[in-house]
Structures are given as C-alpha cells and as structure tokens.
C-alpha cells in the first residue's frame, strides 16, 4: 500500500491510497483515481505498485504531459518524497511513515543505487524531450539521494509560486537554484556538431558567425519545457538575429506543428509565448548581414499567447505569429515580423508596423479539404516550388466548410518559401473564415457575366470574369463557367479581328482611302471591347496602319487630280483658249 498526496487543485491536501497492482489516474470516471482538473487528460497516467512498495509511472499519451523536476517524462520510477505534475495537478509520493525524517534516513543508503538507475533511465532514450533533457530530468527527479533541494526544498511552501529574481535565480519554497538553460549551454557554440549551418554561417571560437546576406543555424536537438513561453537572449554584434522556434507532438523526429519567429536579438532578449500542447521544441536562428552571435540562452517563462475562437477552431497569436488549429491538429501556421493580429468581423485583421514579412504554412484538415492557392490574374495558381506571383490580391486555402481567404488591401508579391507562401507588405490585410459576403459577391459577378453575354457586351463579360477569377474563385462551377464564357468572348474577338484584317488587305490593295478610314474606326472599337486581352494590341495596331494608309491614299488622290487638271488645261489652251482661261480663273 502506498499513499499519494494531492498538492494542488480543488482536492489539494487530500491523500489517497493505492494497493499493489496497476492503477490509472485521469479526469475520466473510469480511472482508479479521478482528478477533477481541466488540464489533466481523461486517461493521463498509469501507476504500477509492486509488492515491495516500489511504484513506476507511465504517461498514457496525455495532452499536457507528465512532468518531474521541470522536465517532461514518459515513464520511470517514482521515489518517495518526490513530485509529479499532471497538467496543473501536482502529486507527491508520501514516504513510508508519512514524514520527511523517515525518508531522510533512507536516502544515504539508497543514494548510489538511485544514481545508477537515473543514469540508466537517461540512457534509455525513451523520454519525449530526447537525450538532451533526459539526463537533466533524471538527475533532478530521480537522484533523491543527493537531492536535498528536491526532497526538502519545497517543504511546507510546496504550494507557493516560484519566484524569479533579477539575476535569473529561481526561488522555490525558500530554497534557491540557478535558472536552467533549456538547450544545455549549447548556445555557447563550443560544440559545432550540434548545429546545422546554412551557407554563409560558421562556428569559430565560441562564436556563430554570419557572412554577408542571409544565413541560418538550427540546433540539431529538440528540447522540452514545462511552460510554453520562452525567454531567449544572446550577445549579437553586427548582424540581425531572429530566433525561430518550432514545436510538435509525438516522437522527437516527427514533423513540427508550427514555427513562430521572435524579434531581433540584437535589440535585447526576446519573450515568445507559444501555443499549448507542445511536447518538444526546436530552435533556429535567422541572421541578416555580416556579424556574429554568442551566449545564446533559452529559459522557460510563464506567459501565454492570445486566443480567439473561430468556427474552424482556435486561433492563437503572438505579435505577427499565428496558429489556427482544431481538435484534429494544426490548420494554419504563420510566422512573421513587424505587426500584430486582432479579431475582426468574420475573421482576423493583421496590422503591420512598417514593412511586415510573413510566411504561411497550411496543414492537416485545411489541406485535406482543398488546395493552397495564390490568387492571380486569370485564376489562382497552385503553391509549388518556384512559384512567384508578382501582383497577387491574396491566398485561398482549404475548401467547403474548412476554408480561409486572405485578402490584401494592396496587391503584393507572393512566392513559395519553406514549404509555404511568403509575402511582404506595409498595408493591412484580412484573414476571413466567414466567406458569406465573398460568396455573395462571387454570385453577383456570375450574374453579370450571364447578362453581359445575353446582351452581347463582351467588354463587361470579360471584366466581370476577370474579377471573379482573380479575387473570388470560391465556387468551382462559377469559376469554370467564367473561364468558358471569357474564352468564348475572346474567340469572338479574334474572329472579328481576322475579318477586319482581310478587309483591310483588300482596301490597301486598291487604295480605297475611305474604306480604310471606316475599317480603322472598327478596329479602334474592337480594341476597346477587349481590353487586357491579346485582341486589344493587335486591333489597335491594325487601326493605326489603316489610318496611315487612308491618309496616304487621300494624298495620292489629290495629287492625281491636280495632274489631270494640269493636262486638261494644257490641251484646252491650244484648242479652246477662251474656255482654258475660264478654267484657270476658276481654279
């Protein structure tokens, strides 16, 4: 029989017993012990009690994880007097006899064995934090023999909040310990093999160096944190250095859920609050310009991003960063600089602070529902490596009920980058999840196309079709109809142009100036009916040629008439001098 004390939550202070065997803890009523705390999963933790009173724990794939000594763990041995945190519920394994004094007498005897098991657990590689945090966590959690801090440090103040003073020292229940660097001092850059460097980056003598242009460095190991806020600092000289933090769930090598970007470390330390439910983190540095960086540290902080509810799920945002997710996982991750998100009717509004640079990455249900499309003249363009749209009004993602439309107040250059779409803008833009108004506008444009075709107004037909295809390609049937009608209108324009070219050839051949003038006017009208199409420049060029031909024909006719009058007058002077004199006077 073992006893477990609840140190936090609505049942704080209660002690419950567990007999020999296997037990489960969680929020669901089917558990051996129900913990009524929202941050605890339905089936959170499994405990196995041996006949000798030893107890082992195993996380059951919980949402918020199981933590010991500030490190997330999957499984291990739970020692008397030590604590385990499930979400926000803290449990302590009560030592035999119920007091700290009885446990203290056992610590010296068990010290060497505990350290041996701690080392074996650290080397097993089964913890979510990976090897980087396993050893650290096991030393803090399991090495109770030498762990007076862990065993007695909290004392009667176990329910007090941890306090951090200005020097970075963390005060825990009356005892103090230096704040821990989450990346195990690898930010000192004394182990170059721990970093993946891009072209232009190098590590020399404890410095991360950046050549001219853009370079990057990524830590090759993941790390874990109890909180989902980071305090990142470094000494930066010459270059601009932006921290990029990715996070994920599951195995260490699994794909990241999202990536957020912090502000320039050259301006000071960066606080970055990340979305909840992350099980591991990654850090990278993006550097602009020539310079170096040293003394990179990553520490846990207590903060949370802002949250907005939407029909598609939850939207978390921090500065220019955004994550939209539903119960199945992430939908859209946005990382960026110089701006902020806010709630807006039917969606979100992004307001830049100067020039904002953003990268959009879609995943999960959003991509399963539809494509990732960049809006463009003539219809949307699918996102793929090498794609660049110089003047795009926005982005369309997903389909059906799971769809998002990004509309830019000013068209921007959008291109493929890091598996997503990158844009830079100094104007606000909107991210819509309520597309009712946009669908109504698309329907009106479709009606305009039909009416223009019926009235023979190809100019209006093409203008309405171009607007629908560029800005509102929301309904596939309407898009296909607009494409078909605009293609038919364009074929009519090409046919009219071909007919004019044939007539113009005949008029030029016979030198019919008046006919050339008439055809020139018809060509000008044709160009105005098909603006922005291949017909417009060809019709305009034909009109210009015909106008020149008509002018030359008119000049030729005047010259021929004058020569005829001169010959006639010469003949009359000889035969009819009186008549010739009269004609000369008239002329």
């Amino acid at each position: 029989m073992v006893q477990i004390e609840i140190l936090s939550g609505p049942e704080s202070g209660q002690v419950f017993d567990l007999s020999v065997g296997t037990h489960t803890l969680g929020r669901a009523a089917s558990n051996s012990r129900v913990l009524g705390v929202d941050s605890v999963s339905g089936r959170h933790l499994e405990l196995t009690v041996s006949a000798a009173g030893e107890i082992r724990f195993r996380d059951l794939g919980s949402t918020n994880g199981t933590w010991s000594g500030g490190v997330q763990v999957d499984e291990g041995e739970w020692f008397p007097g030590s604590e385990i945190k499930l979400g926000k519920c803290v449990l302590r394994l009560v030592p035999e006899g119920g007091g700290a004094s009885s446990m203290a007498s056992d610590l010296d005897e068990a010290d060497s064995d505990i350290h041996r098991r701690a080392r074996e657990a650290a080397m097993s590689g089964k913890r979510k934090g990976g090897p980087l945090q396993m050893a650290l966590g096991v030393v803090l959690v399991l090495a109770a023999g030498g762990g007076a801090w862990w065993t007695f440090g909290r004392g009667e103040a176990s329910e007090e909040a941890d306090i951090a003073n200005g020097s970075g020292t963390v005060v825990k229940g009356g005892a103090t310990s230096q704040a821990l660097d989450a990346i195990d001092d690898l930010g000192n850059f004394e182990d170059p093999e721990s970093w993946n460097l891009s072209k232009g980056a190098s590590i020399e003598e404890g410095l991360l160096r950046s050549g001219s242009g853009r370079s990057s460095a990524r830590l090759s190991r993941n790390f874990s944190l109890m909180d989902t806020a980071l305090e990142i600092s470094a000494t930066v000289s010459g270059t601009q250095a932006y921290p990029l933090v990715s996070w994920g769930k599951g195995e260490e090598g699994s794909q990241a859920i999202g990536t957020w970007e912090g502000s320039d470390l050259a301006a000071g330390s960066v606080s970055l609050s990340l979305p909840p439910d992350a099980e591991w983190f990654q850090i990278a540095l993006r550097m602009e310009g020539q310079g170096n960086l040293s003394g990179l540290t990553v520490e846990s902080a207590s903060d949370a991003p802002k949250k907005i509810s939407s029909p598609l799920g939850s939207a978390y945002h921090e500065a220019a960063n955004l994550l939209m997710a539903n119960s199945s996982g992430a939908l859209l991750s946005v990382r960026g600089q110089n701006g902020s998100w806010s709630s807006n009717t039917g969606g979100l509004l992004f307001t830049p602070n100067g020039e904002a640079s953003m990268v959009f990455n879609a995943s999960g249900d959003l991509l399963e529902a539809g494509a990732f499309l960049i809006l463009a003249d003539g219809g949307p363009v699918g996102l793929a490596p090498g794609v660049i749209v110089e003047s795009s009004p926005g982005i369309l993602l997903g389909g059906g009920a799971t769809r998002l439309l990004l509309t830019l107040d000013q068209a921007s250059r959008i291109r493929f980058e890091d598996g997503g779409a990158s844009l830079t803008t100094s104007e606000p833009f909107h991210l819509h999840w309520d597309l009712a108004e946009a669908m109504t506008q698309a329907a009106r444009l479709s009606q305009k196309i039909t009416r223009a075709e019926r009235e023979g107004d190809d100019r209006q037909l093409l203008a309405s079709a171009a607007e629908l295809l560029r800005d509102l390609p929301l309904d596939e049937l309407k898009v296909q109809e607009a494409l078909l009608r605009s293609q038919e209108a364009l074929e009519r324009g090409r046919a009219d142009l071909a007919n004019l070219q044939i007539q113009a050839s005949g008029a030029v051949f016979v030198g019919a100036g008046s006919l050339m003038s008439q055809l020139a006017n018809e060509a000008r009208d044709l160009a105005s009916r098909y603006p922005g199409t291949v017909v417009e420049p060809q019709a305009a060029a034909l009109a210009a040629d015909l106008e020149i031909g008509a002018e030359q024909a008119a000049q030729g006719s005047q010259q021929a008439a004058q020569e005829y009058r001169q010959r006639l007058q010469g003949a009359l002077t000889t035969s009819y001098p009186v008549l010739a004199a009269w004609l000369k006077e008239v002329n």
Side-chain angles (χ1 to χ4, degrees):
M1 181 76 70
V2 297
Q3 291 186 318
I4 297 174
E5 182 181 4
I6 302 175
L7 299 180
S8 64
E11 299 178 301
S12 178
Q14 293 187 22
V15 176
F16 61 92
D17 299 330
L18 292 180
S19 59
V20 174
T22 300
H23 311 271
T24 60
L25 280 63
R27 205 172 63 251
S30 59
N31 288 288
S32 306
R33 174 68 190 195
V34 177
L35 301 173
V37 180
D38 289 341
S39 58
V40 174
S41 295
R43 280 173 52 83
H44 197 117
L45 189 71
E46 179 183 271
L47 297 176
T48 302
V49 182
S50 71
E54 295 179 347
I55 185 168
R56 294 193 64 82
F57 64 87
R58 182 170 68 89
D59 186 273
L60 298 176
S62 63
T63 299
N64 293 322
T66 300
W67 299 79
S68 289
V71 179
Q72 190 172 2
V73 293
D74 269 342
E75 58 182 311
E77 186 172 350
W78 194 1
F79 292 92
S82 63
E83 299 172 6
I84 286 181
K85 183 179 179 183
L86 315 183
K88 295 183 179 180
C89 180
V90 180
L91 306 175
R92 183 174 75 98
L93 180 57
V94 178
E96 186 177 354
S101 59
S102 62
M103 182 184 66
S105 64
D106 296 332
L107 290 178
D108 292 336
E109 299 176 5
D111 183 69
S112 61
D113 182 58
I114 290 172
H115 278 281
R116 177 184 57 79
R117 282 181 284 178
R119 192 175 301 107
E120 291 173 356
M123 297 302 292
S124 68
K126 295 181 179 180
R127 295 170 54 124
K128 293 179 182 177
L132 180 65
Q133 289 294 322
M134 291 174 196
L136 174 64
V138 173
V139 168
L140 288 178
V141 179
L142 304 181
W149 172 83
W150 178 255
T151 306
F152 305 112
R154 300 184 72 91
E156 296 178 356
S158 60
E159 297 179 7
E160 296 178 0
D162 296 342
I163 303 171
N165 63 26
S167 66
T169 301
V170 179
V171 182
K172 296 178 178 287
T176 62
S177 67
Q178 192 66 26
L180 298 173
D181 178 27
I183 59 174
D184 283 358
D185 297 327
L186 290 173
N188 291 332
F189 303 106
E190 296 175 354
D191 182 10
E193 294 183 357
S194 296
W195 292 89
N196 296 322
L197 307 178
S198 72
K199 183 178 180 180
S202 62
I203 293 178
E204 302 172 14
E205 300 178 347
L207 294 176
L208 173 61
R209 300 184 183 276
S210 172
S212 58
R214 174 182 290 191
S215 61
S216 64
R218 178 179 294 277
L219 186 63
S220 58
R221 305 179 184 179
N222 297 345
F223 61 93
S224 296
L225 290 171
M226 180 175 291
D227 299 304
T228 55
L230 305 177
E231 185 79 17
I232 307 170
S233 60
T235 301
V236 182
S237 176
T239 184
Q240 294 176 303
Y242 302 93
L244 279 71
V245 178
S246 304
W247 68 93
K249 298 179 69 174
E251 295 298 324
E252 182 178 340
S254 58
Q255 186 175 3
I257 293 173
T259 300
W260 279 6
E261 186 168 345
S263 55
D264 186 7
L265 287 168
S269 63
V270 173
S271 295
L272 193 61
S273 301
L274 300 169
D277 300 337
E279 296 180 352
W280 51 262
F281 301 88
Q282 297 173 340
I283 188 165
L285 298 167
R286 179 174 64 84
M287 294 171 288
E288 301 279 355
Q290 186 174 5
N292 60 67
L293 180 148
S294 63
L296 175 70
T297 61
V298 181
E299 297 177 357
S300 178
S302 298
D303 205 351
K306 298 178 180 64
K307 180 181 177 182
I308 298 174
S309 296
S310 78
L312 274 64
S314 299
Y316 302 91
H317 61 97
E318 166 85 359
N321 302 293
L322 173 72
L323 175 72
M324 294 195 67
N326 60 13
S327 58
S328 299
L331 298 173
L332 177 69
S333 174
V334 183
R335 64 175 173 86
Q337 289 285 339
N338 301 331
S340 60
W341 295 90
S342 60
S343 181
N344 195 44
T345 303
L348 299 171
L349 171 67
F350 180 79
T351 305
N353 180 20
E355 189 173 73
S357 299
M358 322 284 288
V359 178
F360 295 77
N361 291 91
S363 60
D365 291 348
L366 199 62
L367 285 183
E368 290 180 6
F372 192 133
L373 303 173
I374 302 175
L375 304 185
D377 289 328
V381 177
L383 184 68
V387 166
I388 299 176
V389 178
E390 291 295 342
S391 181
S392 171
I395 297 171
L396 179 62
L397 306 115
T402 307
R403 185 160 48 173
L404 293 169
L405 175 65
L406 185 149
T407 57
L408 298 168
D409 287 0
Q410 180 177 338
S412 176
R413 184 175 188 261
I414 300 180
R415 63 185 180 87
F416 179 90
E417 180 180 331
D418 294 340
S422 168
L423 67 88
T424 300
T425 182
S426 57
E427 298 295 329
F429 61 79
H430 299 78
L431 184 64
H432 308 271
W433 52 66
D434 182 356
L435 302 186
E437 182 178 348
M439 293 292 287
T440 299
Q441 293 177 2
R444 288 174 179 168
L445 288 172
S446 183
Q447 291 173 355
K448 281 186 177 181
I449 293 170
T450 302
R451 183 167 58 251
E453 183 182 38
R454 186 170 59 249
E455 296 173 355
D457 187 350
D458 285 344
R459 180 186 177 88
Q460 181 62 57
L461 187 157
L462 291 170
S464 299
E467 183 178 354
L468 187 147
L469 293 171
R470 172 183 165 87
D471 299 324
L472 298 165
L474 306 175
D475 186 314
E476 186 174 352
L477 291 177
K478 289 183 173 62
V479 167
Q480 294 300 323
E481 186 73 13
L483 285 171
L484 177 62
R485 297 292 174 250
S486 58
Q487 288 171 359
E488 291 175 347
L490 189 57
E491 288 303 318
R492 288 194 293 271
R494 285 173 171 162
D496 289 347
L497 177 62
N499 186 46
L500 279 175
Q501 289 171 334
I502 293 172
Q503 295 183 63
S505 297
V508 170
F509 181 76
V510 299
S514 59
L515 180 56
M516 282 188 275
S517 295
Q518 177 185 337
L519 293 175
N521 291 333
E522 293 181 15
R524 290 289 182 194
D525 178 67
L526 182 63
S528 68
R529 283 160 42 205
Y530 292 89
T533 70
V534 295
V535 173
E536 180 187 19
Q538 295 182 43
L542 178 61
D545 290 341
L546 286 168
E547 287 167 352
I548 294 174
E551 182 178 353
Q552 290 176 346
Q555 292 175 353
S557 297
Q558 291 174 0
Q559 182 177 357
Q562 180 63 29
E563 291 176 353
Y564 173 75
R565 283 194 295 270
Q566 289 175 353
R567 289 196 303 272
L568 179 60
Q569 189 171 6
L572 291 174
T573 300
T574 304
S575 304
Y576 305 98
V578 176
L579 180 58
W582 177 78
L583 286 174
K584 184 176 181 180
E585 182 179 349
V586 171
N587 290 330

